Amino acid sequence: MPPVGVDRTRERSATGRKPTTGRVRRSDRARDEVRLGWMLAGPAFVVMLAVTLYPILQAVFDSLFNFRLTDPDAREFVGAGNYAVVLTDAVFWDSLWVTLLITVVTVAIELVLGFALAMVMHRAITTLRGWLRTAILVPYGIITVVSAFAWFYAFDINSGGFVNNWFDWVPGVDENLNWFAAQGTSLFVIIASEVWKTTPFISLLLLSGLAQVPGDLEEAAKVDGATSWQVLKRVILPNMKAAIMVAVLFRALDAFRIFDNVFIMTNGANGTEVLSLLAYRTSIGRLEIGLGSAISVLLFLCVILISFVAVKGFKVDLASARGGE
Amino acid sequence: MRRRILATVTALAVGAALAACSGESGTPTLTWYINPDAGGQAAIAQSCTEAADGAYVIETSLLPRDAASQREQLARRLAAQDGSIDIMSLDPPFIPELAEPGFLAPVPAELEALGTEGVVQGAVDSAMWDGELVTIPFWANTQLLWYRESVAEAAGLDMTEPVTWDEIIEAARSQDKLLGVQGTKGESLTVWINALVASAGGEIIANPEAPADEVELGLDTDAGRAAADIIGRIGDEGLGGPGLPTADENASMNLFASDDGSFMVNWPFVWAALGEASPDVVEDMGWAIYPQVEEGADAAPPVGGINLGVGAFSDDVDLAYQAVECIVAPENQAEYFVTNGNPPSSVEAYEDPRVAEDFPMWETIRDSLDLAVPRPQTPRYNEVTLGLQETWHPPSAVSPDSSPEEATSLITAVLRGERLL
């Protein structure tokens, strides 16, 4: 409720004391500001409701029906029946585990790599800084579908992928290795392409966190004889907590909704199906609107759960970050 | 002043809109949703527009590249009663799904002969649903057995006589060569499975017109097990090469063109494609009817192609069918074959001298289309094909002891709405 927060702050500063209990009295100016705030934010708020809340509610509603797009006459209310089918099916749980595996592995690798890159960018000499940032950001600038195709053709044995020839000195890799014929190797390529594509994003977020660490704290620690590791652990990381949380949360949500890479490379073959692909195949491929909506709603609930766990887990007060009360 | 400007702008806008309307109210425009090709359908649209002499104009609109995506787009738009869809190029297996809910305008009685008489049998079968003609065959595709003459000769196979899968497996094995088959988890795998089951005298669905929860599958039979045995052997012994689990038609063609090539089952597009890319391979290339599963029993080759349907919500159904009549004329089909490589469904079109000149295997294609058996014609085809792909992939894991049973159990449960895919 940002408008109320602004209002209270103003009232305190105007009167010099904390408002008494009961209804908060607003000055004319504060009321005008609240009104202006609503006029400015109102249209955006309505548009947000239209484009996010409405589809979500529609999906929840649709998920209660047995409804196939090419058989509209057979539509019937089944209550939680679709959820029962989804939650008791191994296909759903397998997709969920694969999605979680991809999420956890990519976020963990990207956090370490992204932090290293952020440090390099942060410490790089001024003349190199611009070039370095541009070079690191290039993969993130490429459209995911394009990068997915690039990785697919690099590894695909049927269209002359070059990886097998370049890396045949690595144990287990030879010219006959079909990366997309087994679960382990398919997931390896999917995860590698995901890491390559989105590490720049996480490093950019961490770089902004690094920039906010007060230099005098680092200096003071060094004067007191702290090693570089101690400075990192006791000074830099604690001061970057909010930035790390934002980086992890954003990337985790992004990774959990992974679609393009899997769609292009395996289309869910060999146990690589992820939740969003399952929702797509059910809703769009099979035209089973009810069943597909149930999967989408469950996917949405998982996303909310991840956000909740991340915010609680990091114990970061997001309100303080925006200068509120 | 401001009011005057506003009034002028409004008048101009209304005038422009009226002008646009009056333009449209002249010659009716029919939109033909086409699958991607080498420009042949657009050329036919142009020539039929000219032949109509002002009765209608045909405009083409491009659908996505693969058949499954084409089906998705058309099904979604027809479900929303999109009136802009006049004519559609439809992949045959997905036709019943659009016909069942009434998304296709009925074929006029006077045009029924157009879709059934003088048309190869495989294409006629694929144009029907529930005993009625619901689309008009436009072109018909079929798979042939392509072979390297040198390999067949070295293996001692007489290719003037029908050959069996056992024989080509043994020939590839004895010559240390690879077979070109489609083992990727996609529609081409279903095409292969269906051809093998049908060639063994079976059928994937015993009662395709039954309601979804009463459908009975014919996979867990001797025919289904014979099909699984062939796929499993090729996969298990590595006869399809390391790329088999992800091999589509293009990958099979590339394998055939490599030094390891021997035999390949594939659509006729490979003739033109290899003619450009590997002329030396074409010199050593022969063709025959699809391999038999059991010696002496006719093979049932795959059938594909495109049929034309008319949208039920079109404003110009009659004109659309007039346009369809023009599009499928035998001379247009012959022209389409020689320019785009897609075989005609009309028997008469094969008599065009240009066809024999460009496609020396034209008789084999025509004979193959008469033997061909379509994939199951059911409104729930999508579930059937995805269920097969789920349980019969990768080819090395396919076993006659378990795969037919697993596919039957999964597809039956999915059709009853009890399981996910």
Side-chain angles (χ1 to χ4, degrees):
Chain A
M1 300 262 287
V4 176
V6 171
D7 184 29
R8 282 182 175 172
T9 314
R10 290 204 167 274
E11 190 143 308
R12 267 208 309 275
S13 61
T15 58
R17 59 188 167 83
K18 210 173 176 178
T20 51
T21 52
R23 197 174 164 178
V24 179
R25 276 187 294 166
R26 292 168 171 171
S27 68
D28 288 346
R29 184 178 168 187
R31 269 200 299 274
D32 286 346
E33 284 190 359
V34 169
R35 198 177 305 128
L36 179 66
W38 275 109
M39 282 169 68
L40 291 173
F45 183 65
V46 171
V47 170
M48 284 293 287
L49 280 184
V51 300
T52 58
L53 190 62
Y54 167 69
I56 291 169
L57 292 178
Q58 181 74 46
V60 173
F61 178 73
D62 284 338
S63 70
L64 305 176
F65 290 85
N66 187 355
F67 176 33
R68 183 183 169 83
L69 207 57
T70 49
D71 194 6
D73 297 337
R75 179 182 155 127
E76 62 170 330
F77 181 78
V78 289
N82 286 328
Y83 291 96
V85 170
V86 174
L87 292 171
T88 54
D89 200 305
V91 171
F92 172 78
W93 293 106
D94 288 347
S95 306
L96 181 63
W97 297 135
V98 169
T99 313
L100 282 173
L101 177 75
I102 292 174
T103 307
V104 170
V105 174
T106 54
V107 172
I109 297 173
E110 286 179 25
L111 200 58
V112 176
L113 268 182
F115 190 76
L117 288 175
M119 289 291 270
V120 170
M121 287 193 278
H122 190 57
R123 305 262 192 247
I125 54 172
T126 324
T127 48
L128 271 181
R129 201 169 280 171
W131 288 103
L132 196 63
R133 286 183 188 182
T134 309
I136 288 174
L137 278 173
V138 164
Y140 192 61
I142 295 173
I143 298 164
T144 314
V145 172
V146 176
S147 90
F149 270 116
W151 279 77
F152 172 75
Y153 285 122
F155 283 84
D156 180 36
I157 189 173
N158 285 319
S159 50
F162 57 83
V163 168
N164 284 358
N165 290 330
W166 284 15
F167 295 94
D168 57 0
W169 49 272
V170 176
V173 178
D174 62 56
E175 60 173 355
N176 286 333
L177 175 60
N178 188 342
W179 293 83
F180 300 114
Q183 186 185 35
T185 46
S186 299
L187 284 177
F188 173 81
V189 182
I190 290 166
I191 288 172
S193 68
E194 194 73 3
V195 168
W196 177 82
K197 172 82 176 63
T198 48
T199 299
F201 171 71
I202 219 165
S203 68
L204 206 64
L205 289 177
L206 293 175
L207 179 65
S208 69
L210 268 180
Q212 285 174 357
V213 177
D216 48 355
L217 282 183
E218 282 182 62
E219 268 180 44
K222 279 177 188 163
V223 168
D224 286 345
T227 62
S228 299
W229 173 246
Q230 284 171 324
V231 173
L232 178 72
K233 199 176 160 194
R234 306 263 179 198
V235 179
I236 297 177
L237 290 179
N239 278 291
M240 286 177 65
K241 210 168 156 188
I244 294 173
M245 191 218 69
V246 169
V248 168
L249 179 60
F250 278 32
R251 254 314 290 159
L253 294 182
D254 213 22
F256 195 79
R257 292 179 288 113
I258 180 174
F259 180 83
D260 315 44
N261 277 327
V262 184
F263 183 73
I264 301 294
M265 293 191 205
T266 63
N267 199 15
N270 315 316
T272 58
E273 183 148 270
V274 288
L275 268 187
S276 52
L277 187 62
L278 180 65
Y280 168 82
R281 285 205 307 118
T282 311
S283 301
I284 309 293
R286 294 181 52 201
L287 303 169
E288 289 283 1
I289 304 299
L291 211 50
S293 296
I295 299 171
S296 302
V297 169
L298 290 170
L299 178 63
F300 175 65
L301 292 177
C302 289
V303 166
I304 290 182
L305 186 68
I306 291 174
S307 309
F308 183 77
V309 168
V311 173
K312 285 286 171 197
F314 276 85
K315 296 188 180 115
V316 173
D317 181 10
L318 285 175
S320 66
R322 69 170 185 230
E325 286 170 293
Chain B
M1 183 64 186
R2 195 186 282 176
R3 272 188 193 168
R4 194 176 299 164
I5 292 172
L6 193 66
T8 312
V9 169
T10 310
L12 284 173
V14 170
L18 285 173
C21 288
S22 64
E24 280 175 8
S25 64
T27 310
T29 300
L30 302 171
T31 309
W32 177 13
Y33 284 81
I34 58 170
N35 57 310
D37 63 2
Q41 291 174 98
I44 295 176
Q46 178 70 30
S47 69
C48 283
T49 298
E50 285 164 14
D53 198 23
Y56 54 79
V57 171
I58 305 176
E59 278 182 0
T60 56
S61 186
L62 199 61
L63 288 167
R65 193 166 59 92
D66 64 295
S69 305
Q70 291 162 19
R71 162 193 165 270
E72 283 165 17
Q73 188 182 125
L74 288 172
R76 285 208 309 273
R77 294 176 64 166
L78 288 167
Q81 307 199 347
D82 186 341
S84 76
I85 299 178
D86 297 306
I87 306 168
M88 292 166 277
S89 289
L90 298 171
D91 201 26
F94 301 113
I95 288 170
E97 188 183 22
L98 302 182
E100 178 73 3
F103 292 168
L104 301 179
V107 177
E110 66 271 21
L111 287 188
E112 284 197 359
L114 190 69
T116 52
E117 289 174 16
V119 177
V120 289
Q121 193 54 44
V124 176
D125 294 344
S126 74
M128 313 284 286
W129 165 242
D130 208 8
E132 282 181 29
L133 187 78
V134 292
T135 55
I136 305 288
F138 171 36
W139 61 274
N141 218 354
T142 188
Q143 285 200 355
L144 302 182
L145 171 65
W146 306 88
Y147 59 92
R148 301 283 283 261
E149 288 174 343
S150 53
V151 176
E153 196 181 323
L157 275 184
D158 176 10
M159 296 306 292
T160 59
E161 295 294 318
V163 292
T164 63
W165 280 97
D166 284 345
E167 284 173 326
I168 64 169
I169 286 173
E170 187 49 42
R173 200 188 280 147
S174 69
Q175 300 303 306
D176 203 15
K177 299 283 184 186
L178 299 176
L179 292 171
V181 283
Q182 293 88 51
T184 190
K185 193 178 176 187
E187 186 58 25
S188 50
L189 180 62
T190 308
V191 167
W192 189 21
I193 297 169
N194 185 65
L196 291 175
V197 173
S199 296
E203 47 197 355
I204 289 176
I205 294 187
N207 55 345
E209 285 159 19
D213 52 355
E214 292 171 21
V215 163
E216 286 174 20
L217 273 78
L219 275 173
D220 203 3
T221 58
D222 288 344
R225 283 185 278 277
D229 177 54
I230 290 169
I231 294 177
R233 258 191 294 156
I234 292 173
D236 196 38
E237 294 182 29
L239 289 171
L244 179 63
T246 50
D248 59 9
E249 288 89 345
N250 277 311
S252 306
M253 182 180 73
N254 293 335
L255 181 77
F256 180 78
S258 73
D259 292 342
D260 291 327
S262 62
F263 298 85
M264 163 177 73
V265 285
N266 216 328
W267 310 98
F269 83 94
V270 297
W271 177 249
L274 288 176
E276 283 180 19
S278 315
D280 52 325
V281 172
V282 171
E283 280 180 22
D284 187 31
M285 194 168 165
W287 51 85
I289 293 282
Y290 205 77
Q292 298 173 345
V293 169
E294 286 169 29
E295 194 174 353
D298 274 345
V303 58
I306 288 292
N307 292 1
L308 297 181
V310 170
F313 312 104
S314 161
D315 292 330
D316 299 299
V317 170
D318 294 341
L319 281 179
Y321 269 113
Q322 279 182 38
V324 168
E325 197 175 356
C326 171
I327 292 167
V328 302
E331 58 271 24
N332 280 339
Q333 293 196 28
E335 174 77 14
Y336 194 50
F337 192 20
V338 295
T339 54
N340 282 245
N342 293 325
S345 59
S346 154
V347 177
E348 188 189 330
Y350 285 90
E351 289 162 16
D352 191 307
R354 291 174 301 167
V355 168
E357 196 178 312
D358 290 355
F359 294 92
M361 74 295 299
W362 68 275
E363 278 181 299
T364 314
I365 293 174
R366 193 194 54 195
D367 295 346
S368 178
L369 281 166
D370 270 331
L371 289 172
V373 172
R375 283 157 274 171
Q377 296 286 98
T378 159
R380 310 294 290 232
Y381 176 76
N382 201 47
E383 275 70 17
V384 176
T385 183
L386 291 177
L388 279 172
Q389 293 164 31
E390 200 61 47
T391 46
W392 289 50
H393 186 269
S396 57
V398 174
S399 155
D401 300 328
S402 58
S403 303
E405 193 185 340
E406 280 171 23
T408 303
S409 150
L410 175 64
I411 295 169
T412 309
V414 168
L415 289 176
R416 289 181 184 151
E418 294 163 359
R419 285 189 66 182
L420 292 174
L421 260 177

